[in-house]
Structures are given as C-alpha cells and as structure tokens.
Amino acid sequence: MSEDSELWDVICDGPHVPMKNLGETGPMVQKNRKEYSDIERKSVEKNYRAKEILACGIGPNEYNRILACDSSKEIWEALQTAHEGTTQVKQSKIDMLTTKYELYRMKYDESIQDIHTRFVSIINELHSLKDVIPRNKLVRKILSVLPGSWESKVNPITEAKDLQTLTMDELIGILKTYEMKRNKDIERREPKKEKNLVLKAENSESSEEDSDMAYLTKRFQKMARINGGIPKRGSSSKARNNDLCHKCGKLGHFIKDFSLLKQEQYK
C-alpha cells in the first residue's frame, strides 16, 4: 500500500529529479545517472514504474497519445485531456450534467431502484469532474422528485429524520420498504376490481338482452296491429272471405291452406 501511495504521488506531482550545485555559488543542475545515490536512484525508478503501470492499462490508440511523454505525470495529464477534455470542455460537461440533475424527475411506473440507479449515474459523472454535491442536498433531491402519491411517506421522513445526517443508502432502504408494502396493498385490491368488472360486464349483457327482448316485443305488437290484432284464445283461426292468399291470389284462405285446397281439387 505504501508503494502504491508513493507511485500515485509521482503521477500527480511528477518524478523526483536529483540535482547538484556547480560550485559553492553556482546554479543547481541535474545530476548524471552515475552520480545518483541509492536513495535518489530508487526515487527515479518510481517514475519508470508508474509509467509502466499506466502504459499497460491502455490500448494501442491511447498509447500513441502518450508515446512522446517523458514522465508519468505527463502521461496522466495527456489521458485526462483526452477523456475529460480541456477546462472549457470539462465545464460544458458539468453544466450539462447540472441541468440534468436539476430537471431530474421520477418517471411513470419507475421503481425506487430505477430512480436510484439513474440518479447515482448523474452524481458519479459530476463527481468525476470534481463537482461534488453535498449529501444532504442529494437526500432532499430524491424526496422532492417523488410523485404526490408518495406524500404520505415523504412527510413522516422529513419530520422524523435529520436530513443533515441521513445517508442516501438509508433513504433508499426506507423507500424500498414502503414500496414493497404499497405494491402488496395494490395486489390485494386488484381481485376486487376484477370482480367488479365481471359483474359490470354481466349487468351490461343482461341489459343488452332486455333491450333486444323489448325491441322484439315492440316489433311483434306492431305487426299484430297491422294484421288486425292478436287473436284471442278460443277464436277461430280459419280464414275469412276477405282474407287473401299470397300464393294463388284468391280470397277466402291463407297461403298455408293452399296446398290442402289443391289436393282436394285433384281428388
């Protein structure tokens, strides 16, 4: 661990360069390698070790970018510029992510786990660009994006919990627990809704049948009025002299009696 820390210092601060004085009043100049002490030689070797680690962790295209770099610090700065951009590009990314953070809302049918995943993604990107949002603001942001149906849970949390000390993981755990109970309550209500829908459908079918029956009754009564009314019980069903047969066109019988009359004529 101590070696890793020292290598990271070399990457961030640059390598150690052994120097010497040219005479008592002369300027400081870099030592030749033969003049290095054992301690100075180990310090210089750390730069080569850091360069090796960085070079082994990148692909061919990235390697071409760092080929001309002399120190691990130069390699790190070249990779930072390639991936994070210049200061202007970095600030543009921060502005874009900040807007995304401010406009962040819970989507329809989105679970607590889903909104947490999306939220953490934005926060991590901002953090990588050295723009850190305080923890209590993150907690308040999550509570503010929940829809009105969650108000019965949000209010007790804001009243009972100290939002200055409440962590994001603790908040998400509380919300997930409430979400599970809420989903169970919804599942219990769904069978009742299905029964109501079945009864409603049956009542609708029954009303349609009643409507059809009323229509047929009305049609029958209308036809009966046209044909002289409905014959009473015990009344004769024989044709009258003015009744017309629609088969032969003659008076005195119905079309149902035509075949019987024809048979009698042939006898």
Side-chain angles (χ1 to χ4, degrees):
M1 290 297 292
S2 61
E3 182 183 1
D4 293 341
S5 176
E6 291 172 355
L7 290 177
W8 183 244
D9 289 339
V10 171
I11 292 172
C12 293
D13 303 330
H16 172 70
V17 180
M19 305 293 287
K20 68 178 181 178
N21 285 322
L22 288 176
E24 293 181 1
T25 58
M28 295 287 291
V29 295
Q30 184 176 344
K31 286 184 178 181
N32 295 324
R33 291 181 60 84
K34 293 180 180 180
E35 298 175 329
Y36 289 173
S37 65
D38 291 340
I39 295 175
E40 290 173 337
R41 191 174 298 280
K42 288 181 180 179
S43 297
V44 172
E45 286 175 354
K46 288 176 183 177
N47 178 56
Y48 295 108
R49 174 64 178 155
K51 284 178 65 177
E52 181 184 5
I53 292 172
L54 292 173
C56 290
I58 59 177
N61 295 332
E62 301 291 343
Y63 185 78
N64 292 331
R65 287 194 179 101
I66 66 163
L67 194 59
C69 297
D70 293 326
S71 68
S72 57
K73 186 175 190 294
E74 291 179 6
I75 293 174
W76 183 249
E77 288 174 348
L79 292 174
Q80 275 187 313
T81 302
H83 291 279
E84 295 180 3
T86 60
T87 303
Q88 185 177 1
V89 173
K90 191 184 296 185
Q91 187 59 49
S92 296
K93 288 181 178 179
I94 291 173
D95 293 341
M96 181 186 66
L97 288 168
T98 302
T99 302
K100 197 173 181 181
Y101 168 82
E102 291 172 350
L103 298 177
Y104 181 80
R105 293 292 180 272
M106 184 176 183
K107 297 179 181 178
Y108 178 72
D109 280 347
E110 194 174 28
S111 67
I112 293 298
Q113 182 60 49
D114 292 336
I115 68 168
H116 182 233
T117 301
R118 284 199 303 120
F119 190 71
V120 168
S121 176
I122 297 171
I123 299 308
N124 287 343
E125 287 188 64
L126 284 169
H127 191 274
S128 68
L129 297 171
K130 306 297 186 293
D131 189 0
V132 181
I133 300 174
R135 182 178 60 186
N136 63 315
K137 285 189 175 182
L138 299 178
V139 169
R140 292 180 185 277
K141 181 64 176 177
I142 287 291
L143 291 172
S144 68
V145 302
L146 295 173
S149 58
W150 284 74
E151 188 175 356
S152 60
K153 187 61 181 176
V154 172
N155 290 338
I157 292 175
T158 55
E159 292 171 2
K161 300 289 183 179
D162 183 2
L163 300 185
Q164 297 293 334
T165 59
L166 183 65
T167 65
M168 179 65 70
D169 291 335
E170 288 173 341
L171 175 63
I172 295 301
I174 293 169
L175 296 177
K176 280 184 177 179
T177 303
Y178 175 73
E179 183 181 45
M180 287 189 291
K181 292 179 180 177
R182 191 165 173 262
N183 290 339
K184 285 182 180 178
D185 290 340
I186 292 172
E187 288 175 2
R188 288 194 196 101
R189 295 192 197 103
E190 281 181 354
K192 294 181 180 179
K193 288 183 178 179
E194 290 177 1
K195 287 181 180 179
N196 291 335
L197 288 173
V198 170
L199 289 173
K200 190 174 180 181
E202 290 176 352
N203 292 335
S204 177
E205 290 175 1
S206 177
S207 63
E208 287 178 2
E209 290 176 359
D210 293 342
S211 179
D212 292 341
M213 182 61 69
Y215 174 75
L216 291 174
T217 303
K218 196 171 182 181
R219 291 280 299 173
F220 177 75
Q221 290 173 347
K222 185 176 179 181
M223 293 298 296
R225 284 197 301 270
I226 293 172
N227 294 325
I230 302 173
K232 295 181 179 179
R233 184 178 294 178
S235 62
S236 175
S237 61
K238 292 183 178 180
R240 295 169 295 189
N241 291 332
N242 58 347
D243 288 328
L244 179 66
C245 175
H246 294 284
K247 181 72 175 177
C248 64
K250 294 180 179 181
L251 298 173
H253 64 272
F254 294 128
I255 189 172
K256 65 179 183 178
D257 301 322
F258 176 76
S259 58
L260 295 174
L261 292 173
K262 195 170 183 181
Q263 290 175 7
E264 290 178 359
Q265 289 177 0
Y266 283 103
K267 284 182 182 178

